[in-house]
Amino acid sequence: MTTADCPLCIGDGGRVVLRTASWRLIHAGEAAWPGFYRLVWNTHVAELSDLRAVDRAACLDAVCAIESAMRRHLSPTKMNLASLGNQVPHLHWHLVARFDWDTHFPAPLWAAPVRQPAMARLADLQARLPALEDDLRSRAFA
Amino acid sequence: MTTADCPLCIGDGGRVVLRTASWRLIHAGEAAWPGFYRLVWNTHVAELSDLRAVDRAACLDAVCAIESAMRRHLSPTKMNLASLGNQVPHLHWHLVARFDWDTHFPAPLWAAPVRQPAMARLADLQARLPALEDDLRSRAFA
């Protein structure tokens, strides 16, 4: 896949919460998963180990800082972090706040659902996003 | 979950490839996924962001070094990295070599399979593990 074919090179990949010279944070915009963000590395590289050490550290420091903010604002049962990219091999990290009431818990979000969506809880979660995103935007990311 | 209840506190979690003071690398031992390892943090913490910065850097440097070795020895189509822990909230990283011929590609390995297992290719992959593991054991991890 060349950069001209890559959806994460051609577009942002979703609603941009925060953008730095090296990466951007987008909200995944999946209705069933309000607490689902993606950190997308701006340059087209496939694997974490394709980054120089300094860039890798910056990437993972950002993932960790975003995880911390998500924990503080969303109080998830568990955080899920994943860099898969089988469909779009352009480095991006999935950051997902998981809850013991969500449709898939404790299964991975990519597995089959185990219960119906809890609409009131999803709405409550959605309502917490602006404060989380304001907090993230207020930080001095490199 | 207290440490007394945690399978990754009580046991190693699988065949140990490599052990340091801070973490161990285990082979996941799932027949359908020869190229599936887990880096297990030795101390019982749930989230990456529970680690001190120095430990976090050591953990992620190790994940990246193991990813690099897996790429060199196994030549995967894509590497998948994930810290989920919904069932066992003791920090561990899944490192999975994915191939365009595997049962799930390009779907996540936790989704439904899309094809039958390629037995000869799985056997070939299995045969590459000793060299990979020898290489990993020869490194000076902190």
Side-chain angles (χ1 to χ4, degrees), chain B residues 21-35:
Chain B
S22 301
W23 52 267
R24 59 195 182 264
L25 182 68
I26 63 174
H27 184 255
E30 300 190 19
W33 301 99

Side-chain angles (χ1 to χ4, degrees), chain A residues 46-51 56-57 60-61 63-65 67-68 71 76-90 93 98 105-112, chain B residues 46-51 56-57 60-61 63-65 67-68 71 76-90 93 98 105-112:
Chain A
E47 305 286 7
L48 180 64
S49 52
D50 288 330
L51 295 181
R56 180 160 49 83
L60 294 170
D61 282 352
V63 166
C64 198
E67 171 180 287
S68 292
R71 292 175 70 186
T77 307
K78 187 70 187 70
M79 281 298 301
N80 286 183
L81 305 177
S83 170
L84 307 179
N86 305 316
Q87 314 231 22
V88 180
H90 175 134
W93 282 90
R98 299 296 309 275
F105 199 90
L109 68 150
W110 301 282
Chain B
E47 305 284 9
L48 181 64
S49 52
D50 288 329
L51 294 181
R56 180 160 48 83
L60 295 170
D61 283 352
V63 167
C64 197
E67 171 180 287
S68 292
R71 292 176 69 187
T77 307
K78 187 71 188 67
M79 282 297 303
N80 286 182
L81 305 176
S83 171
L84 307 177
N86 305 316
Q87 313 232 22
V88 180
H90 175 134
W93 281 91
R98 299 296 310 275
F105 199 89
L109 67 152
W110 302 282

Side-chain angles (χ1 to χ4, degrees), chain B residues 69-130:
Chain B
M70 291 175 72
R71 292 176 69 187
R72 232 178 7 261
H73 286 271
L74 309 181
S75 302
T77 307
K78 187 71 188 67
M79 282 297 303
N80 286 182
L81 305 176
S83 171
L84 307 177
N86 305 316
Q87 313 232 22
V88 180
H90 175 134
L91 181 63
H92 59 282
W93 281 91
H94 304 279
L95 296 103
V96 191
R98 299 296 310 275
F99 297 88
D100 56 13
W101 49 260
D102 75 34
T103 46
H104 289 60
F105 199 89
L109 67 152
W110 302 282
V114 297
R115 66 182 67 83
Q116 292 295 311
M119 301 311 291
R121 285 173 143 157
L122 288 170
D124 173 70
L125 185 56
Q126 182 78 36
R128 295 167 184 243
L129 303 186

Side-chain angles (χ1 to χ4, degrees), chain A residues 26-121:
Chain A
I26 62 174
H27 184 256
E30 299 190 21
W33 301 99
F36 187 168
Y37 291 87
R38 291 191 185 101
L39 183 149
V40 181
W41 196 253
N42 289 335
T43 307
H44 187 89
V45 296
E47 305 286 7
L48 180 64
S49 52
D50 288 330
L51 295 181
R52 294 178 306 156
V54 62
D55 287 334
R56 180 160 49 83
C59 179
L60 294 170
D61 282 352
V63 166
C64 198
I66 296 161
E67 171 180 287
S68 292
M70 291 176 71
R71 292 175 70 186
R72 229 174 15 258
H73 285 271
L74 309 182
S75 302
T77 307
K78 187 70 187 70
M79 281 298 301
N80 286 183
L81 305 177
S83 170
L84 307 179
N86 305 316
Q87 314 231 22
V88 180
H90 175 134
L91 182 62
H92 59 283
W93 282 90
H94 304 278
L95 297 102
V96 191
R98 299 296 309 275
F99 297 89
D100 56 12
W101 50 260
D102 76 33
T103 46
H104 290 60
F105 199 90
L109 68 150
W110 301 282
V114 296
R115 66 182 66 82
Q116 293 295 312
M119 302 311 291
R121 284 173 143 157

